[in-house]
Amino acid sequence: MKKVLFTALVSLSIMFVPYSSSIAQSNKMNDLASIDQMYGSKLVGTWNCDSVKMEVEDATVTMEGSASYFTNKRSNTFGTMIIDYPKENITLEYDYFGTGTWEINNKKLVEILEDIKLTNISHPYMDQSFNMTDIFPKNISASSSIISLSQSNLTLKDDTEGVIFTCSKKIVK
Protein backbone atom coordinates (compact mmCIF):
# COMPACT_ATOMS: atom_id res chain seq x y z
CA MET A 1 0.00 0.00 0.00
CA LYS A 2 2.77 2.43 0.92
CA LYS A 3 4.51 1.62 -2.36
CA VAL A 4 1.33 2.34 -4.35
CA LEU A 5 0.79 5.61 -2.45
CA PHE A 6 4.42 6.63 -2.97
CA THR A 7 4.23 5.82 -6.71
CA ALA A 8 0.99 7.80 -7.01
CA LEU A 9 2.50 10.82 -5.23
CA VAL A 10 5.63 10.69 -7.39
CA SER A 11 3.49 10.43 -10.53
CA LEU A 12 1.32 13.35 -9.44
CA SER A 13 4.32 15.45 -8.54
CA ILE A 14 5.97 14.74 -11.90
CA MET A 15 2.78 15.82 -13.65
CA PHE A 16 2.27 18.86 -11.42
CA VAL A 17 5.81 20.30 -11.40
CA PRO A 18 5.92 21.21 -15.11
CA TYR A 19 2.37 22.52 -14.87
CA SER A 20 3.10 24.69 -11.82
CA SER A 21 6.37 25.79 -13.42
CA SER A 22 4.56 26.86 -16.58
CA ILE A 23 1.96 28.69 -14.46
CA ALA A 24 4.78 30.51 -12.62
CA GLN A 25 6.43 31.35 -15.96
CA SER A 26 3.10 32.52 -17.37
CA ASN A 27 2.45 34.66 -14.26
CA LYS A 28 5.95 36.14 -14.53
CA MET A 29 5.36 37.01 -18.20
CA ASN A 30 1.96 38.53 -17.35
CA ASP A 31 3.55 40.56 -14.53
CA LEU A 32 6.27 41.80 -16.88
CA ALA A 33 3.68 42.69 -19.55
CA SER A 34 1.72 44.64 -16.91
CA ILE A 35 4.86 46.52 -15.85
CA ASP A 36 5.72 47.25 -19.50
CA GLN A 37 2.18 48.54 -20.07
CA MET A 38 2.35 50.74 -16.93
CA TYR A 39 5.75 52.11 -18.02
CA GLY A 40 4.37 52.82 -21.49
CA SER A 41 1.52 54.92 -20.11
CA LYS A 42 3.88 56.84 -17.79
CA LEU A 43 6.36 57.48 -20.61
CA VAL A 44 3.88 59.34 -22.83
CA GLY A 45 4.66 63.07 -22.75
CA THR A 46 7.64 65.38 -23.22
CA TRP A 47 10.76 64.83 -21.13
CA ASN A 48 13.53 67.39 -20.58
CA CYS A 49 16.80 65.55 -20.07
CA ASP A 50 19.91 66.63 -18.21
CA SER A 51 23.02 67.26 -20.25
CA VAL A 52 25.17 64.20 -20.94
CA LYS A 53 28.90 64.27 -21.73
CA MET A 54 30.64 61.40 -23.56
CA GLU A 55 34.18 60.84 -24.74
CA VAL A 56 34.25 59.68 -28.37
CA GLU A 57 37.69 59.09 -29.91
CA ASP A 58 39.45 62.50 -29.93
CA ALA A 59 36.34 64.48 -29.05
CA THR A 60 34.00 65.24 -26.20
CA VAL A 61 30.33 65.18 -27.14
CA THR A 62 27.83 66.99 -24.93
CA MET A 63 24.14 66.53 -25.60
CA GLU A 64 21.23 68.34 -24.06
CA GLY A 65 17.68 67.96 -25.17
CA SER A 66 14.19 66.64 -24.90
CA ALA A 67 12.17 63.70 -26.13
CA SER A 68 8.45 63.45 -26.75
CA TYR A 69 6.73 60.06 -26.63
CA PHE A 70 3.24 59.77 -28.10
CA THR A 71 0.48 57.21 -27.51
CA ASN A 72 0.77 56.00 -31.12
CA LYS A 73 4.33 54.77 -30.32
CA ARG A 74 5.94 57.61 -32.29
CA SER A 75 8.63 59.87 -30.82
CA ASN A 76 10.49 63.10 -31.48
CA THR A 77 13.93 63.97 -30.15
CA PHE A 78 15.33 67.49 -30.20
CA GLY A 79 18.08 69.52 -28.63
CA THR A 80 21.68 70.64 -28.93
CA MET A 81 24.86 68.64 -29.50
CA ILE A 82 28.30 70.16 -28.94
CA ILE A 83 31.36 68.36 -30.29
CA ASP A 84 34.63 69.60 -28.85
CA TYR A 85 37.94 68.62 -30.48
CA PRO A 86 40.48 69.98 -27.94
CA LYS A 87 43.61 68.97 -29.91
CA GLU A 88 42.39 70.86 -32.98
CA ASN A 89 40.89 73.67 -30.89
CA ILE A 90 37.56 73.26 -32.72
CA THR A 91 34.11 73.27 -31.19
CA LEU A 92 31.05 72.52 -33.30
CA GLU A 93 27.50 73.10 -32.13
CA TYR A 94 24.48 71.48 -33.74
CA ASP A 95 20.75 71.63 -33.22
CA TYR A 96 19.17 68.22 -33.81
CA PHE A 97 15.69 66.93 -34.49
CA GLY A 98 14.88 63.26 -34.89
CA THR A 99 11.76 61.19 -35.47
CA GLY A 100 11.19 57.56 -34.65
CA THR A 101 9.24 54.89 -32.85
CA TRP A 102 9.36 53.45 -29.34
CA GLU A 103 8.18 50.47 -27.32
CA ILE A 104 8.66 49.10 -23.83
CA ASN A 105 9.84 45.49 -23.80
CA ASN A 106 11.04 43.62 -20.69
CA LYS A 107 11.55 46.87 -18.74
CA LYS A 108 13.61 48.33 -21.57
CA LEU A 109 12.88 51.35 -23.72
CA VAL A 110 13.55 50.25 -27.30
CA GLU A 111 13.72 53.10 -29.80
CA ILE A 112 14.28 53.31 -33.53
CA LEU A 113 15.55 56.67 -34.71
CA GLU A 114 14.17 56.67 -38.24
CA ASP A 115 15.51 60.03 -39.31
CA ILE A 116 17.61 62.83 -37.86
CA LYS A 117 18.32 66.37 -39.04
CA LEU A 118 21.41 68.18 -37.73
CA THR A 119 21.87 71.91 -38.25
CA ASN A 120 25.32 73.36 -37.71
CA ILE A 121 24.70 76.54 -35.71
CA SER A 122 28.33 77.38 -34.88
CA HIS A 123 29.84 77.11 -38.39
CA PRO A 124 26.95 76.80 -40.88
CA TYR A 125 29.25 77.35 -43.87
CA MET A 126 30.85 73.95 -43.13
CA ASP A 127 27.63 72.18 -44.15
CA GLN A 128 28.45 72.94 -47.80
CA SER A 129 31.49 70.66 -47.69
CA PHE A 130 30.59 68.36 -44.79
CA ASN A 131 26.97 67.90 -43.80
CA MET A 132 26.75 65.93 -40.54
CA THR A 133 23.17 64.79 -41.33
CA ASP A 134 24.48 62.85 -44.33
CA ILE A 135 26.70 60.59 -42.21
CA PHE A 136 23.93 59.50 -39.84
CA PRO A 137 22.31 56.25 -40.96
CA LYS A 138 18.54 55.92 -40.96
CA ASN A 139 16.68 53.53 -38.64
CA ILE A 140 19.21 53.40 -35.81
CA SER A 141 18.00 51.09 -33.04
CA ALA A 142 18.84 51.71 -29.38
CA SER A 143 17.84 50.01 -26.15
CA SER A 144 17.97 51.45 -22.64
CA SER A 145 17.21 49.78 -19.34
CA ILE A 146 14.61 51.63 -17.30
CA ILE A 147 16.21 52.27 -13.92
CA SER A 148 13.25 54.28 -12.65
CA LEU A 149 10.11 55.80 -14.12
CA SER A 150 7.46 57.81 -12.30
CA GLN A 151 4.91 60.34 -13.50
CA SER A 152 7.57 63.06 -13.34
CA ASN A 153 11.06 61.47 -13.43
CA LEU A 154 12.81 59.06 -15.77
CA THR A 155 16.24 57.46 -15.43
CA LEU A 156 17.62 55.28 -18.23
CA LYS A 157 20.87 53.40 -18.72
CA ASP A 158 21.96 52.98 -22.33
CA ASP A 159 22.52 49.26 -22.95
CA THR A 160 25.45 49.82 -25.34
CA GLU A 161 27.54 52.56 -23.74
CA GLY A 162 26.22 52.44 -20.17
CA VAL A 163 25.46 56.18 -20.20
CA ILE A 164 22.87 57.26 -17.60
CA PHE A 165 20.14 59.65 -18.74
CA THR A 166 17.98 61.52 -16.22
CA CYS A 167 14.92 63.39 -17.37
CA SER A 168 11.95 65.18 -15.88
CA LYS A 169 8.54 65.42 -17.47
CA LYS A 170 7.55 68.76 -18.88
CA ILE A 171 4.41 69.98 -17.11
CA VAL A 172 1.69 71.02 -19.53
CA LYS A 173 -0.19 74.11 -18.30
Side-chain angles (χ1 to χ4, degrees):
M1 179 71 165
K2 287 182 185 177
K3 188 173 183 177
V4 172
L5 187 58
F6 177 75
T7 305
L9 286 173
V10 169
S11 297
L12 283 173
S13 68
I14 288 171
M15 288 173 28
F16 183 71
V17 167
Y19 177 72
S20 64
S21 168
S22 67
I23 288 174
Q25 184 67 24
S26 175
N27 286 343
K28 186 176 181 180
M29 289 171 57
N30 288 339
D31 290 348
L32 194 52
S34 295
I35 290 169
D36 287 351
Q37 187 175 19
M38 177 192 62
Y39 280 174
S41 64
K42 286 182 180 179
L43 186 66
V44 171
T46 299
W47 296 85
N48 298 319
C49 299
D50 295 344
S51 127
V52 174
K53 191 177 278 195
M54 300 170 277
E55 299 298 322
V56 180
E57 295 178 19
D58 293 337
T60 301
V61 178
T62 304
M63 296 183 72
E64 189 172 295
S66 300
S68 294
Y69 298 97
F70 305 101
T71 57
N72 64 357
K73 303 294 183 174
R74 302 286 306 160
S75 62
N76 292 335
T77 301
F78 43 94
T80 303
M81 176 174 66
I82 299 171
I83 306 171
D84 184 33
Y85 297 95
K87 289 181 183 175
E88 289 83 14
N89 200 25
I90 297 173
T91 300
L92 302 172
E93 186 171 352
Y94 292 88
D95 279 341
Y96 65 87
F97 179 79
T99 59
T101 61
W102 66 273
E103 71 175 339
I104 305 288
N105 190 356
N106 294 326
K107 297 183 185 177
K108 291 184 181 289
L109 173 59
V110 181
E111 299 179 86
I112 296 176
L113 183 60
E114 296 171 340
D115 197 21
I116 190 162
K117 170 90 170 109
L118 293 145
T119 304
N120 189 329
I121 58 176
S122 60
H123 306 292
Y125 58 88
M126 289 178 68
D127 283 349
Q128 294 169 358
S129 58
F130 176 73
N131 189 334
M132 186 75 101
T133 298
D134 294 340
I135 69 166
F136 270 86
K138 305 231 185 272
N139 299 312
I140 299 170
S141 181
S143 174
S144 300
S145 298
I146 299 172
I147 296 172
S148 66
L149 174 58
S150 68
Q151 293 295 346
S152 58
N153 293 299
L154 169 65
T155 305
L156 300 170
K157 181 178 181 183
D158 175 76
D159 290 342
T160 305
E161 301 294 326
V163 176
I164 303 287
F165 297 91
T166 56
C167 309
S168 56
K169 193 174 258 186
K170 184 176 178 180
I171 307 298
V172 179
K173 294 180 183 180

